[in-house]
Amino acid sequence: MARSPHPKKDIEAALRHAESQGWRVEMGGSHAWGKMYCPWNDAECRCGEFCIACIWSTPKNATNHARALRRVVDHCTAQKVILDIMRKAKG
């Protein structure tokens, strides 16, 4: 079943970016719109600290929150290692 889109367009774009990188986005939670889960959830990936990110429904600044969500995805150390391996295999 497809998830409902986030009401803020900047955050929805960040969530689509996360999903394109393999992250799982789940709606619901006690105080959040939902959460993003890293597909690797590696113990060595910064101690698992950034393997889950909360998605707020009405952040004070939606653009900054979207930027922070993208940063979590783009700076995932497990993802960087896997992408480096794939690039070396191609070249």
Side-chain angles (χ1 to χ4, degrees), residues 15-64:
L15 297 179
R16 288 178 190 254
H17 171 70
E19 290 172 330
S20 74
Q21 300 298 316
W23 287 62
R24 188 176 81 242
V25 175
E26 291 185 2
M27 294 177 57
S30 57
H31 297 289
W33 180 87
K35 291 184 180 180
M36 292 187 331
Y37 296 91
C38 177
W40 294 281
N41 197 13
D42 187 15
E44 294 179 15
C45 179
R46 297 186 281 182
C47 303
E49 181 180 349
F50 296 98
C51 290
I52 299 174
C54 288
I55 306 160
W56 304 118
S57 57
T58 55
K60 191 171 189 176
N61 186 322
T63 303
N64 286 345

